[in-house]
Amino acid sequence: MKLAPSILTADFARLGEQVTRAERAGADRIHVDVMDGHFVPNISMGAPVVKSLRQVTRLPLETHLMISDPDFFFEEFVEAGSDSFIVHWEGNNNLHRTIQRVKSLGKPVGVAINPATPAAVLEEVLPDLDLVLVMTVNPGFGHQHFIHSTLPKIRRVRRMIQQVRPDCELELDGGIDPATARLGVAAGADVLVAGSSVFGDPAGVDAAMSRLRAATEDMVNNEKGVLCE
Ligand code: DX5
Ligand code: ZN
């Protein structure tokens, strides 16, 4: 199971230090939530933050674009140091073109679906994807509760991936803590985004990361997507 700390709820006054701590604690990548106040009701960060983070970490910077018209911004983020992109199915009338655009820039591409969006919308684009992100909260904020009704959909996405694109990663985003991490991995997730449970833990980033890892380490994947305890 891979861990991708989300910096949305990190202390921005100490962002570089917090990301370095997460890297030392074994993070597999850093999840950067870009929000434009239009696609979601919040404004977060842009390419300048990616550029600064590029100076302090060698970890992949996964860029989750919760913005209208992501096509206008890929080059700027690539120049700043983004390593991969996640775009939303919602609100994108030209998703196939957007996916091809990211691929033409030589970057891995993922598609995110919100809690109300069925897995079936992925059918046509899944063969081209490196990652599917199942939102386990409604996008826009950290510190929200995991939506348990997304679990059956996670299982469906896992089955679709196995049939169509076995190398595609299945990532969950929102409300991940040690308890929901177990539920998510049992449903078939490969990668977990965690914000407040990593950067908001009073015991610190190291302890928080260890707790998340410990919560799933006894779950072995004996056949991709089929987990047993
Ligand atoms: C929400 C973002 C998430 C968020 C996760 O729209 O996409 O990445 O930061 O934060 P937690 O883990 O606190 O729910
Ligand atoms: Zn995110």
Side-chain angles (χ1 to χ4, degrees):
M1 187 274 292
K2 292 184 183 148
L3 264 179
S6 155
I7 59 170
L8 184 67
T9 46
D11 177 354
F12 275 53
R14 300 184 299 124
L15 187 57
E17 179 203 319
Q18 298 220 288
V19 166
T20 305
R21 270 189 191 284
E23 181 168 2
R24 287 205 197 115
D28 296 283
R29 61 186 73 155
I30 297 295
H31 184 87
V32 181
D33 289 306
V34 178
M35 303 175 180
D36 64 356
H38 188 253
F39 181 81
V40 287
N42 195 7
I43 297 172
S44 62
M45 63 199 96
V49 172
V50 172
K51 193 169 180 195
S52 303
L53 286 180
R54 194 68 291 167
Q55 313 303 316
V56 297
T57 181
R58 278 192 299 266
L59 285 177
L61 298 174
E62 172 182 81
T63 311
H64 179 191
L65 297 174
M66 289 160 277
I67 62 176
S68 308
D69 304 315
D71 293 52
F72 294 146
F73 298 95
F74 291 129
E75 276 87 357
E76 189 186 340
F77 278 102
V78 168
E79 225 167 277
S82 289
D83 294 290
S84 66
F85 293 96
I86 301 172
V87 297
H88 272 259
W89 176 85
E90 299 81 7
N92 190 334
N93 300 327
N94 299 291
L95 184 61
H96 184 273
R97 183 185 290 134
T98 299
I99 291 167
Q100 299 312 318
R101 194 97 206 273
V102 177
K103 291 169 89 73
S104 74
L105 292 165
K107 300 294 179 188
V109 61
V111 166
I113 51 175
N114 287 343
T117 304
V121 304
L122 297 167
E123 206 177 317
E124 301 304 326
V125 293
L126 185 52
D128 286 332
L129 299 183
D130 303 293
L131 178 143
V132 171
L133 181 72
V134 175
M135 292 300 305
T136 42
V137 296
N138 288 299
F141 304 94
H143 291 286
Q144 299 184 81
H145 290 294
F146 184 93
I147 300 174
H148 287 74
S149 60
T150 61
L151 287 165
K153 174 166 66 174
I154 298 165
R155 285 189 275 274
R156 280 195 291 279
V157 172
R158 167 49 63 200
R159 283 197 292 274
M160 286 171 76
I161 287 175
Q162 254 168 291
Q163 282 152 13
V164 174
R165 176 92 166 145
D167 290 343
C168 181
E169 289 182 320
L170 176 41
E171 185 170 281
L172 306 184
D173 188 10
I176 295 293
D177 62 24
T180 55
R182 273 187 89 76
L183 296 173
V185 170
D190 297 303
V191 192
L192 300 175
V193 176
S196 47
S197 67
V198 169
F199 295 114
D201 189 322
V205 169
D206 303 19
M209 297 267 297
S210 310
R211 246 198 293 277
L212 281 167
R213 285 245 182 253
T216 60
E217 72 189 354
D218 63 321
M219 306 171 82
V220 288
N221 182 346
N222 62 2
E223 188 193 340
K224 195 146 176 87
V226 179
L227 301 179
C228 66
E229 298 183 16

